[in-house]
Amino acid sequence: MTDDTGLLEHALGRTPRRLEGYTTDDNARSLWAVTEWLRDVPGSEVGDEDRRTLLDLASIYLSFMLWQQKEDGWWHNNVAYDRSPEAESVSYDCQGRSIWACVDAWVGLPDSHKDAAKAMFECALPTIGSLDSLRGKCYALSACAHALESERLGLISFKPGWREQLKAHVQRLQDELIGRFKKNSDEAWRWFEPQMSYGNGVMPWALLRAYRVTHAPEALEIGLDSLSSLQAAMTAEEGWFRPIGNAGWHSRKVSSKWDQQPLEIFKLALALEEGALALEEAAKQGVALLLAYEQGSDPRRGAGDARSQGGDRGAGGYRGAGAIRAPEVGIALAVRTETEERQTDDRGRRTDDSANAGSDTRGGAKEKLPAEAHAIEVADYAAQLRAARNRCLQWFYGDNDHGAMMADASDGSGCDGLQEDGPNVNCGAESTISYLMTSALCR
C-alpha cells in the first residue's frame, strides 16, 4: 500500500482507491510504526534486509511529512490521489500525532534520519500551545515527556531554552488531563470525558508517559485508574477484548458493540505497556506495593471521598487520591511506598495493625483501611498489564466476538473493523498499522 509519495489511505482488496488519496495522519502513524519496529528490543527478529527496507520506508514518510508541513509549523492532512492538497480545516489530532511521530523518530531512528525529524519538531514546537483537541494534547504531552526523558538519557540534545519550554508544556498538559478526569469522574464513571469514543487509550497512555518524567503520584494513580476503567469497558463477558463500538460509543447508559476498530485495540495495548513502564519507574521512586481490596469494598471507609479531595500521601504511604480497579483480578488498588511498615502473611494479606490504622490524609484525619486489604507487588501488577497487552494481539487472531481472523500475518495487512455480520475485509492503512503496532509492542 506504500508508494513513493506516502501510504495510501485505503486499499480495497489491496488495490488503491484513487478517490481517497493520502493523509499526513497515516504517514505519521507509519513513521511511528517503522521507528517501533527498528527499536532494538530483546528478541527482536528484524534482520539486516528488513532494516534497510524499514529505513527506506522511514525516508518516504519523513519526506511526505516535510512536504506537508507549512512554514508556521502546522501540517496539512489530506492530499488527493493526484498529489493536490484538499480543502480542510486544521486537524489538531493530526498535529499532535505528527509531533509525537517526529519526536519518536528523532529519538529512535539512526543519525541518517534524525535531522529531518528534529527539524519538523522544531518547526512545530510553537503550535503545541494552540492545540485544541484532547487527543492532540495527549500526543503532545507524550512527545514532550519523551523528548525530556531522552535528553536526560543523552539520546538527543536540546537547543537553549527547549528544556524549560518542554517542562512547562508537560506540567500544563498533565494538569489539564488530571483536571478533565476529576471533572467528569465519580465513583461509577472513571474517565476523562462523558463517554468513551475513539482513540481512548491515548489518554491514560499520555498521563502515564508524563509520570515517568514528573513523578507526580496523581498522574500515576489517575493513569492507572483510567486504564483499568478502559480495560473493563473493553472486556466482553466471555473474557476477550471488545473494542468500543464506533456505532454508538460507550457511556454510563449505553455501550455499542459493533463497528469495532483495530485502532482501539492498538491504543489499549499502548496504554497497557505504558502502565507497566510507569510502574517500573514507580518502583525506582520507592513505590513497592499496591494495596488490594475486594471489589465492592471501600478502601476509604470512614474517610469520605478521598478521590475528590485529592488527598496527599501521609507518613504511612497511603495516598487516597486514586483507587485503581483492576478488572482481571477483581480488586481495587491504592499506592503505598516501601517506607511503610508492612507485614503480610503467605497470602499477601496484612497482619500488622497498620492494615486497619490507616494513614494521614490532607486534613490530618485517619483513613480506616478494610481488614481484607492485601498487598500486590508493583512488579506483579506490571506483569499483569503486559499479559493483558499480549491478549490485545490475540484479538487480531480470532480472540473476538466472531472468532474471526482480523489480520494476515503473512503480509501484515489488517481488516478495517469487525461488524455484526463479520469482518470488514477492506485493509486500510489505519487498521493495518494498528495490527503492526500491536505486534511490535508485543514482541
Side-chain angles (χ1 to χ4, degrees), residues 222-341:
I222 291 177
L224 292 174
D225 192 349
S226 59
L227 174 57
S228 183
S229 292
L230 179 61
Q231 190 177 345
M234 289 181 59
T235 300
E237 297 83 356
E238 297 85 354
W240 53 67
F241 283 130
R242 174 184 293 155
I244 302 298
N246 278 21
W249 310 130
H250 174 80
S251 67
R252 295 171 184 265
K253 296 182 178 180
V254 299
S255 184
S256 174
K257 182 176 180 179
W258 297 114
D259 199 8
Q260 301 175 20
Q261 297 295 303
L263 177 70
E264 299 307 315
I265 288 290
F266 157 47
K267 294 300 170 60
L268 176 61
L270 183 70
L272 289 165
E273 171 61 17
E274 192 60 50
L277 292 171
L279 285 168
E280 290 168 353
E281 180 64 24
K284 297 176 184 177
Q285 302 304 312
V287 178
L289 57 92
L290 305 164
L291 286 185
Y293 310 85
E294 299 302 327
Q295 282 187 348
S297 66
D298 184 0
R300 295 158 306 284
R301 187 175 299 163
D305 188 353
R307 282 179 180 156
S308 62
Q309 297 168 13
D312 293 330
R313 178 173 285 115
Y318 175 73
R319 180 176 175 83
I324 305 154
R325 296 180 307 283
E328 287 193 349
V329 291
I331 58 175
L333 302 173
V335 177
R336 280 185 181 268
T337 67
E338 64 183 358
T339 59
E340 168 193 40
E341 180 181 354

Side-chain angles (χ1 to χ4, degrees), residues 140-156:
L141 171 57
S142 297
C144 293
H146 190 25
L148 284 167
E149 183 182 44
S150 300
E151 192 262 351
R152 178 180 62 80
L153 295 173
L155 301 175
I156 56 176

